[in-house]
């Protein structure tokens, strides 16, 4: 029996290839995601591993470190030079180097453009030659000289190479200081660490005194102390030794702890991407399971006569099942192996794409044993599971079936499908509802599981749903295409289970695309509405790279002719009653001139030590005017009082608003994130725009936008994210298309004799191709219709669920959805090309006499 | 044998028809220069031992397979000069074929199967002729059934009706009763007989069964790719007798 199975496998290589194909794709995405994730991790571990010195002393910030660094504002709390001396005097300390670091100091290249990758920091530090924990220098001079005094700078080698500057040139910078524009003579080039990779950031190095002038207002102070332990002392000992003499608002950590913290913060930042990839891999695999299931069903159906013959010759049911499972195992192994290889390719591709965007991942790909194991387990297990159902069905093939051609699926199994499918759909919908609308902790997990269950449920129901849909989709075929149309319709309808299974792969892709497009359209509608209703200011000044900027800019802008008022908005993180919270700081009275802000209760006269909050948040937190909460900032820890409650606006999101003084008192650097510019009555807006552009001309990081441009930019941000999602979902649709090709080709092979007969009684090749094409279109449109319907459901409930979090406009992109269905029809045409050509090539006589 | 058409018109003929399968070592001469005529309005049976080339002859005559050399005429049309499109059209309009098994499209009803060649060709159905054929086949009450709801004999009769309904010049049937019990076989054969007698249809049928051959007007005997004998107005006994002679000849050779 085993030999017979293997022989039959080997004899049908094409069949093997086609059924392995689905597995290859599914496994490739899983493997690709893991390999890429591991490669990212390795890269950051390399960059940050052993970066810090033995012990680091820094200001003690409340909450997690990235609560403040996340807004690139950090803290104004500094370490006085005297403390550096105290630390270096300790017996366990060999040396202590004061460090200055600024994260918003951007290098402009010779064309005056900002050099860092979108979102990456522009880092500036003071030079010192203290070693890292491994005793190696962190920075090495590779060209020129070290910056030795005011007006001198060294750049990292990557930035230097891309900038077009030569040593001796005057380099231009944009800073957040009082002088927004700085220039310095390039005297040297340094290399960071061993690889030199800064993951897209730029690094500018200055002499300490000059750095203090640039970043700390000339105080003899530092942001951090790097401590090197003397021979014989461990980092932990030295840390404890230093902690003992530190004032309360500073902390000492071992370098290893700091490095880990930094690396994991960055990995977390990229973590969404990994999650995204894995979710996508799950989708790919999920779609893949359908294809595999489908493929094996067809293969088994095709071989049911062979199976029946085995049974007639005395093979037991078990043997038949085992033979199918064995076949699945072989296919699974082959598919997983190829999938793993393809996965490496996928990871390499992603790495290249990342590199092209400036985020270079040094070194080769990381293939961990875990990835290999998971790939094989996933590939083989999925295939075996997918094969088990048809295998059991195969074992039930009665021996007399060897004599007959057609084996119809039993009524009872269809009823089981109906019940199980219905139950799963309902359970999934319930889980989604709970996750979306109730206040539970594992909401995302519930929603995910719910969507998964609904997918499977609907897929099980699909054979039942397919019949009425197909009657509509393909109902007009006979009228329009005569016999060819009737054949196509009947072929699509003859085995609803197979048709539905083929369509369900596309259904999933389409459902996701539809849901995303609804969320996207809603986000755009929400942004539009918020800006239409909410913004009265004629211009918005913001930073293109998402970094805050110097308050000096607000000063300059307010000098422009025709500008009536400038409202600055600052942002920071903070701990409110112990919860990490996003804070905005502005003068509410001025703000209400620029944008929508209506008080429901209390006053908008916001003083230091007070705050405002949105209606909904006040209600959910049970706050009323006069109540106090605890606010922790880098340099402060105290109670603030609720001064007023404002009507919910999408622009503010209902969050906490404090005065700018409150932030400054809390040692948050006084940097603006956004400026609303209000023009005077009757001012010539074009002239004002011109004036604003001139005022900010030497600051390429800052952009001036009128309302339309600002709206468009906000929309572009939403769309950019959408395109990324679409691109990946597009791959899911591609898998689905290949699935249709696969199934269609197999089912045409299954009908070889029928095709031969049709040709024998006079069907031309063209007519035959058209028949198959029409069938394919019906299947694809069926998948699209079911998918769009499901996607509508998902999209609308998703929008409803996050309506309170700001996405309060529901928009259904009707035109887009129609395009999806039309595209599906095109997909159907394309998917039919190969199977139709194959069928048309069949030799009539050969087809008729085929067994 | 002359090729000059004699009094009844010739529906199809082959001249020195040769079919060789494979090449070199594995070469099989399935037909070794067969020259034969099928007169219009006659029922011809072809008999011969297994592997003698009967099916091959049918396939070549019915434009399902190409010949290695020689000529095949359907009416006055010579097949070797035709391309695929022309062959398809010829099959559709001039030839009917009944296979031993798997004659029907499972998704179509009996009626749709019968009218399939006309539908494909886009020709309108001659209502009277259709009713006439159906009445002869005796399937009037089964027309809306799918093939799997019909017995084997009924299925073969539907297949015969399909071959008849487009009024082809000639119908080829390769062991149409091979899968049937004798009663169902009789149904099919008497139907073929009647269509020749009543509608003047031309039929060529391969069979292994002497009593099936007895329904025909003329029996051709094939052995090793050659026509070795023929018999007009056969009876089952005469055919059986003739076949026995063959077997011994075949064994001696
Ligand atoms: N496709 C093929 N390739 C090679 N040889 C073939 C092929 N088809 C038929 N033959 C050979 O040609 C010869 C004639 O075959 P054919 O099918 O015409 O016999 P037949 O008279 O119909 O036999 P049966 O009564 O068993 O159906 C046989 O020897 C057969 O082996
Ligand atoms: Mg034969």
């Amino acid at each position: 029996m085993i030999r017979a199975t293997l022989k039959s496998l080997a004899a049908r290589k094409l069949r093997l290839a086609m059924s392995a194909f689905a597995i290859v794709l599914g496994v490739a995405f899983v493997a690709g995601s893991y390999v890429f994730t591991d490669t990212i991790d390795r890269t950051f571990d390399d960059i940050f591993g052993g970066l810090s010195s033995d012990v680091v002393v820094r200001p003690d910030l409340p909450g997690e470190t990235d609560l403040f660094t996340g807004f690139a504002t950090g803290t104004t709390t500094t370490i006085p030079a005297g403390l550096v001396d105290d630390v270096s005097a300790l017996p366990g300390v060999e040396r202590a180097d004061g460090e200055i670091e600024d994260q918003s100091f951007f290098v402009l290249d010779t064309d005056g453009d900002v050099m860092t990758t979108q979102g990456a920091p522009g880092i500036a530090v003071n030079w010192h030659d203290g070693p890292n924990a491994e005793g190696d220098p962190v920075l090495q001079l590779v060209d020129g000289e070290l910056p030795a005094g005011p007006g001198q700078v060294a750049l990292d080698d990557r930035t230097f190479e891309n900038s077009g500057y030569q040593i001796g040139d005057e380099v231009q910078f944009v800073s957040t200081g009082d002088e927004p524009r700085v220039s310095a003579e390039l005297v040297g080039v340094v290399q960071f660490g061993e690889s030199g990779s800064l993951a897209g950031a730029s690094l500018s190095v200055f002499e300490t005194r000059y750095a203090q002038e640039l970043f700390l207002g000339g105080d003899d102070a530092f942001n951090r102390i790097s401590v090197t332990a003397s021979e014989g002392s461990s980092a932990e000992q030295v840390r404890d030794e230093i902690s003992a003499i530190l004032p309360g608002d500073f902390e000492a950590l071992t370098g290893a702890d700091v490095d880990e913290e930094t690396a994991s913060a960055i990995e977390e930042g990229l973590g969404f991407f990994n999650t995204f990839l894995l979710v996508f891999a799950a989708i790919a695999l999920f779609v893949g399971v359908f294809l595999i299931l489908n493929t094996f069903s067809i293969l088994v159906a095709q071989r049911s006569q062979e199976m029946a013959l085995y049974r007639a010759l005395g093979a037991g049911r078990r043997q038949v099942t085992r033979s199918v499972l064995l076949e699945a195992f072989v296919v699974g192994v082959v598919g997983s192996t190829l999938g793993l290889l393809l996965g490496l390719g996928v990871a390499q591709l992603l790495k290249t794409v990342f590199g092209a965007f400036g985020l270079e991942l040094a070194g080769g790909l990381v293939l961990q044993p875990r990835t290999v194991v998971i790939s094989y387990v996933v590939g083989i297990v999925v295939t075996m599971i997918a094969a088990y159902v048809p295998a059991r069905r195969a074992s039930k093939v009665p021996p007399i079936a060897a004599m007959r051609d057609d084996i119809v699926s039993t009524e009872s199994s269809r009823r089981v499908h109906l019940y199980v499918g219905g139950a799963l759909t309902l359970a999934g919908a319930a889980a989604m509802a709970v996750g979306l609308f109730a206040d539970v902790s594992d909401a995302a997990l519930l929603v995910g599981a719910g969507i998964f269950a609904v997918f499977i449920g609907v897929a099980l129901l699909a054979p039942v749903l397919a019949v009425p849909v197909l009657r509509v989709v393909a109902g007009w075929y006979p009228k329009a295409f005569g016999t060819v149309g009737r054949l196509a319709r009947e072929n699509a309808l003859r085995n609803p289970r197979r048709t539905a299974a083929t369509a369900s792969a596309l259904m999933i892709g389409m459902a996701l695309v539809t849901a995303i497009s609804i969320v996207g359209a809603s986000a755009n509608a929400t942004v539009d509405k918020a800006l239409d209703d909410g913004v009265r200011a004629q211009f918005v000044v913001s930073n293109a790279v998402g970094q805050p900027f110097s308050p000096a800019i607000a000063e300059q802008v307010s000098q422009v002719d025709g500008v009536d008022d400038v409202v600055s908005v600052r942002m920071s993180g903070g701990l409110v009653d112990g919860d990490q919270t996003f804070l905005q700081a502005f003068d509410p009275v001025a703000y209400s001139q620029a944008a929508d802000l209506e008080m429901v209760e209390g006053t908008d006269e916001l003083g230091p030590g007070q705050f405002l909050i949105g209606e909904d948040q006040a209600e959910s937190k049970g706050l009323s005017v006069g109540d106090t909460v605890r606010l922790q900032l880098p340099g402060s820890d105290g109670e603030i009082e609720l001064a007023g409650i404002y009507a919910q606006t999408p622009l503010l999101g209902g969050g906490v608003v404090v005065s700018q003084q409150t932030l400054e008192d809390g040692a948050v650097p006084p940097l603006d994130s956004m400026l609303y510019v209000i023009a005077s009555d009757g001012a010539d807006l074009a002239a004002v725009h011109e004036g604003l552009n001139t005022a900010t001309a030497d600051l390429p990081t800052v952009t001036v936008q009128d309302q339309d441009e600002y709206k468009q930019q906000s929309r572009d941000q939403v769309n950019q994210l959408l395109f990324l999602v679409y691109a990946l979902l597009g791959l899911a649709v591609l898998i689905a298309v290949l699935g249709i090709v696969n199934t269609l080709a197999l089912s045409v092979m299954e009908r070889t004799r029928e095709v031969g007969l049709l040709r024998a009684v006079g069907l031309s090749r063209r007519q035959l191709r058209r028949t198959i094409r029409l069938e394919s279109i019906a299947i694809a449109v069926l998948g699209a219709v079911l998918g769009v319907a499901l996607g509508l459901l998902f999209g609308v409930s998703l929008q409803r669920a996050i309506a309170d979090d700001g996405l309060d406009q529901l928009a259904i992109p009707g035109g887009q959805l129609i395009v999806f269905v039309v595209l599906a029809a095109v997909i159907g045409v394309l998917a039919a090309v190969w199977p139709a050509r194959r069928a048309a090539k069949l030799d009539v006589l050969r087809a008729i006499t085929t067994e | 044998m002359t090729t000059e058409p004699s009094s009844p018109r010739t529906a199809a003929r082959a001249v020195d028809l040769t079919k060789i399968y494979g090449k070199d070592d594995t070469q099989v001469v399935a037909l070794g220069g067969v020259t034969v005529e099928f007169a219009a309005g006659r029922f011809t049976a072809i008999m011969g031992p297994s592997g003698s080339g009967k099916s091959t002859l049918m396939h070549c005559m019915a434009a399902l397979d190409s010949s290695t050399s020689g000529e095949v005429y359907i009416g006055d049309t010579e097949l070797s000069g035709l391309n695929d499109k022309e062959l398809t059209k010829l099959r559709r309009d001039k030839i009917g074929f009944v296979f031993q098994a798997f004659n029907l499209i499972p998704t179509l009803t009996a009626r749709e199967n019968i009218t399939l060649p006309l539908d494909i060709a886009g020709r309108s159905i001659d209502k009277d002729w259709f009713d006439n054929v159906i009445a002869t086949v005796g399937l009037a009450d089964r027309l809306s059934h799918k093939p799997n709801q019909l017995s084997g004999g009924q299925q073969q009769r539907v297949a015969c009706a399909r071959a008849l309904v487009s009024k082809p010049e000639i119908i080829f049937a390769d062991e149409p009763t091979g899968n049937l019990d004798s009663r169902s076989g009789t149904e099919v054969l008497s139907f073929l007989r009647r269509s020749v007698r009543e509608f003047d249809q031309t039929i060529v049928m391969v069979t292994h069964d002497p009593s099936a051959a007895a329904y025909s007007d003329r029996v051709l005997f094939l052995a090793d790719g050659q026509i070795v004998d023929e018999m007009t107005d056969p009876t089952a006994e005469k055919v059986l007798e003739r076949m026995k002679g063959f077997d011994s000849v075949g064994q001696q050779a």
Side-chain angles (χ1 to χ4, degrees), chain A residues 777-841:
Chain A
I777 292 175
I779 296 175
V781 172
L782 169 71
V785 167
L786 291 180
V788 166
L790 265 186
L792 270 170
L793 190 79
F794 292 154
V796 172
S797 36
L798 217 61
Q799 187 275 331
R800 290 287 93 202
I802 50 179
D804 287 347
D805 298 330
L807 198 72
D808 56 359
Q809 297 298 311
L810 173 64
I812 293 171
Q816 218 169 324
L817 298 188
I818 292 173
V819 170
F820 289 161
V821 176
V822 173
L823 272 181
V826 176
I827 284 173
V829 173
L830 294 178
V833 169
W834 183 64
R837 186 171 303 166
R838 245 187 89 83
K841 268 206 202 130

Side-chain angles (χ1 to χ4, degrees), chain A residues 148-391:
Chain A
Q152 296 192 342
V153 68
L155 294 178
D156 71 280
D157 50 352
R158 300 270 161 112
T159 306
F160 171 72
E161 276 159 30
N162 297 330
S163 68
Y165 289 117
Q166 301 297 319
I167 288 187
D169 286 353
E170 201 70 6
V171 180
Q172 301 291 322
F173 300 94
V174 176
S175 89
T176 54
D178 296 339
E179 283 289 333
R181 194 69 183 253
V182 174
S183 76
E185 185 198 349
L186 180 64
V187 294
V189 179
V190 296
Q191 185 190 316
F192 173 81
E194 270 164 43
S195 66
S197 172
L198 279 159
S202 65
L203 183 68
S204 316
V205 183
F206 298 97
E207 178 266 329
T208 301
R209 240 345 269 156
Y210 185 49
Q212 286 172 337
E213 224 162 84
L214 282 175
F215 305 112
L216 302 176
D219 295 346
D220 189 9
F222 298 94
N223 297 112
R224 193 169 53 210
I225 311 175
S226 279
V227 180
T228 306
S230 56
E231 201 115 339
S233 317
S234 76
E236 286 75 19
Q237 283 168 348
V238 175
R239 175 194 61 196
D240 296 342
E241 205 177 319
I242 297 172
S243 293
I245 66 153
L246 277 185
D249 43 354
F250 300 109
E251 62 180 351
L253 288 93
T254 62
D257 287 347
V258 173
D259 290 341
E260 212 181 286
E261 195 182 85
T262 320
S264 68
I266 291 190
E267 277 156 27
E268 220 170 88
L270 286 168
F272 95 95
F273 189 75
N274 292 341
T275 314
F276 191 64
L277 277 181
L278 284 177
V279 166
F280 181 69
I283 294 172
L285 202 67
F286 187 55
V287 174
V289 171
F290 275 92
L291 294 191
I292 298 170
L293 193 67
N294 210 4
T295 310
F296 268 89
S297 298
I298 296 175
L299 293 178
V300 171
Q302 239 171 18
R303 277 169 55 207
S304 53
Q305 290 195 355
E306 188 184 322
M307 307 271 176
L309 189 61
Y310 283 137
R311 299 267 286 125
L313 293 177
R317 271 194 181 185
R318 275 268 197 71
Q319 279 172 299
V320 171
T321 314
R322 230 182 290 144
S323 117
V324 175
L325 285 179
L326 177 69
E327 176 167 344
F329 180 78
V330 174
V331 174
V333 170
V334 173
S336 305
T337 308
L338 294 176
L340 191 58
L341 292 176
L342 189 64
L344 286 171
V346 169
Q348 182 59 48
L349 189 77
L350 284 171
K351 194 174 160 231
T352 313
V353 169
F354 263 56
F357 280 102
L359 215 158
E360 235 168 279
L361 302 174
L365 294 172
V366 179
L367 181 63
Q368 290 197 355
R370 184 242 308 148
T371 311
V372 178
V373 171
I374 288 181
S375 294
Y376 276 102
V377 167
V378 161
I380 294 170
V381 169
V382 163
T383 312
M384 304 274 284
I385 291 174
Y388 180 72
V389 179

Side-chain angles (χ1 to χ4, degrees), chain A residues 310-549:
Chain A
Y310 283 137
R311 299 267 286 125
L313 293 177
R317 271 194 181 185
R318 275 268 197 71
Q319 279 172 299
V320 171
T321 314
R322 230 182 290 144
S323 117
V324 175
L325 285 179
L326 177 69
E327 176 167 344
F329 180 78
V330 174
V331 174
V333 170
V334 173
S336 305
T337 308
L338 294 176
L340 191 58
L341 292 176
L342 189 64
L344 286 171
V346 169
Q348 182 59 48
L349 189 77
L350 284 171
K351 194 174 160 231
T352 313
V353 169
F354 263 56
F357 280 102
L359 215 158
E360 235 168 279
L361 302 174
L365 294 172
V366 179
L367 181 63
Q368 290 197 355
R370 184 242 308 148
T371 311
V372 178
V373 171
I374 288 181
S375 294
Y376 276 102
V377 167
V378 161
I380 294 170
V381 169
V382 163
T383 312
M384 304 274 284
I385 291 174
Y388 180 72
V389 179
R392 259 192 36 152
R393 207 180 309 147
S395 74
K396 286 195 191 142
V397 172
I400 46 144
M403 313 302 138
R404 276 190 86 80
D405 266 321
D406 32 36
I407 295 152
V408 196
S409 78
T410 51
E411 232 5 85
S412 75
S413 82
R414 203 169 292 177
R415 202 165 318 132
V416 170
H417 271 213
L418 199 59
Y419 291 149
V420 175
L424 266 175
T425 309
L426 289 179
M432 272 176 64
V434 170
L436 289 175
F437 299 105
D439 202 15
V440 287
S441 50
D442 293 326
L445 197 71
L446 265 175
V447 175
I451 288 179
F452 201 68
V454 170
F455 270 141
I456 297 185
V458 172
L460 284 174
L461 290 178
V464 184
L465 298 175
V467 175
V469 176
L470 282 173
R471 284 201 196 289
V472 176
V473 170
W476 54 281
Y477 280 2
K479 274 223 180 71
F481 301 101
T483 310
V484 165
R486 183 161 57 228
L487 285 170
R489 184 190 63 184
E490 294 305 322
N491 282 340
L493 275 167
R494 77 199 296 184
N495 189 344
R497 182 188 282 168
R498 178 173 67 210
T499 305
T502 310
S504 38
L506 189 63
M507 171 187 87
I508 296 169
M510 279 292 174
L512 295 172
V513 171
T514 303
I516 297 293
S517 73
I518 288 176
V519 171
S522 299
N524 273 331
T526 305
V527 167
D528 279 356
K529 183 153 191 325
L531 297 178
D532 280 341
D533 302 354
V535 181
R536 279 188 286 277
Q538 287 85 352
F539 301 99
V540 175
V541 177
S542 57
N543 184 312
V545 286
Q547 301 280 347
F549 45 85

Side-chain angles (χ1 to χ4, degrees), chain B residues 21 28 30 49-56 175 208:
Chain B
Y21 287 111
V28 176
S50 183
S52 56
K54 304 182 295 290
S55 296
T56 306
E175 301 190 46
H208 280 287

Side-chain angles (χ1 to χ4, degrees), chain B residues 201-216:
Chain B
Q201 183 64 56
T202 313
I203 295 178
V204 180
M205 173 184 75
V206 169
T207 183
H208 280 287
D209 179 1
S211 48
Y215 282 81
S216 69

